Amino acid sequence: MTRRQRKNRKWIIGGLILALLVITGVGAAVIWNNEHQSAEQADEAKKADAEETKNTEKRDEETEEEYSERVAEQKKVKQYEGEDPNKAEELTGAITYAGVSNGTLMIAMNIDQFLGEGKCALSLVRNGNEIYSANADIVAEVSTSTCDGFNVPVGSLGGGATDIIIKLSSGGKTGTIRGEVNI
């Protein structure tokens, strides 16, 4: 064999050894990473099982009624600021929209309390005289309520500043929401 062929063979063998070392290193890193992740997952599963066992033991010690009360308490929505409006003696709220669109006066409002039923009585007053009145049912929303809505044709109302008065009644409680609109 010539000298040149031996040199080339040394480079080829050296390259193969280097490639083998790189492949071995990458394989070892992958195997170590998989084992490490499996160990973490096993630890998390053990912690979850221990927590479930603890909850089961606690549940066994509680009576069915105590357990039901605890679960119901956990599911309650917490009041973060201020008083609970549902415990107020008077119904309150606000007019969220009052405007004219396509010849119709639309009035929308939000009642602060959650009410299952009740009535809303709308009065539109201009210069101390009632120019329109209507009634609607109270509709329960997620945590508040609203009136079923008032859509009034403006043709019979005329123009000018108009006071909006909505009287609410539900379950022995009453309240009034006031606002103003320019027709």
Side-chain angles (χ1 to χ4, degrees):
M1 226 182 251
T2 65
R3 196 172 219 189
R4 191 173 181 168
Q5 288 177 337
R6 282 188 204 157
K7 247 186 185 181
N8 286 341
R9 186 178 283 175
K10 285 181 184 178
W11 281 105
I12 292 172
I13 292 174
L16 289 174
I17 291 173
L18 182 62
L20 185 60
L21 288 174
V22 169
I23 291 171
T24 305
V26 169
V30 168
I31 292 170
W32 182 84
N33 191 28
N34 286 342
E35 287 179 5
H36 184 67
Q37 286 179 348
S38 296
E40 285 180 0
Q41 290 173 347
D43 288 345
E44 289 176 14
K46 286 179 185 177
K47 287 178 185 177
D49 288 342
E51 185 67 29
E52 181 63 30
T53 302
K54 182 179 172 184
N55 289 340
T56 303
E57 289 171 358
K58 192 182 269 187
R59 215 177 300 132
D60 290 343
E61 293 173 7
E62 294 177 317
T63 65
E64 186 67 31
E65 184 177 322
E66 290 171 334
Y67 175 72
S68 297
E69 287 176 9
R70 183 171 56 83
V71 170
E73 187 66 33
Q74 290 172 347
K75 290 183 179 180
K76 274 188 182 177
V77 175
K78 294 182 180 177
Q79 183 76 25
Y80 288 105
E81 291 184 21
E83 301 280 327
D84 182 357
N86 290 318
K87 294 180 182 176
E89 293 179 21
E90 184 177 346
L91 301 177
T92 58
I95 294 174
T96 56
Y97 178 78
V100 177
S101 177
N102 295 328
T104 302
L105 171 62
M106 295 187 291
I107 302 170
M109 74 290 314
N110 185 49
I111 301 169
D112 295 333
Q113 291 80 10
F114 179 79
L115 307 170
E117 62 184 7
K119 295 287 180 193
C120 302
L122 168 70
S123 295
L124 298 178
V125 178
R126 186 177 301 131
N127 300 324
N129 298 320
E130 183 177 86
I131 60 170
Y132 181 85
S133 65
N135 293 313
D137 291 327
I138 289 178
V139 178
E141 297 287 330
V142 175
S143 62
T144 61
S145 301
T146 187
C147 295
D148 201 15
F150 296 105
N151 295 325
V152 182
V154 293
S156 62
L157 298 178
T162 305
D163 292 321
I164 302 169
I165 302 168
I166 303 171
K167 294 186 179 186
L168 310 170
S169 62
S170 175
K173 293 182 180 181
T174 61
T176 303
I177 299 174
R178 296 179 182 273
E180 187 176 323
V181 66
N182 195 7
I183 302 173

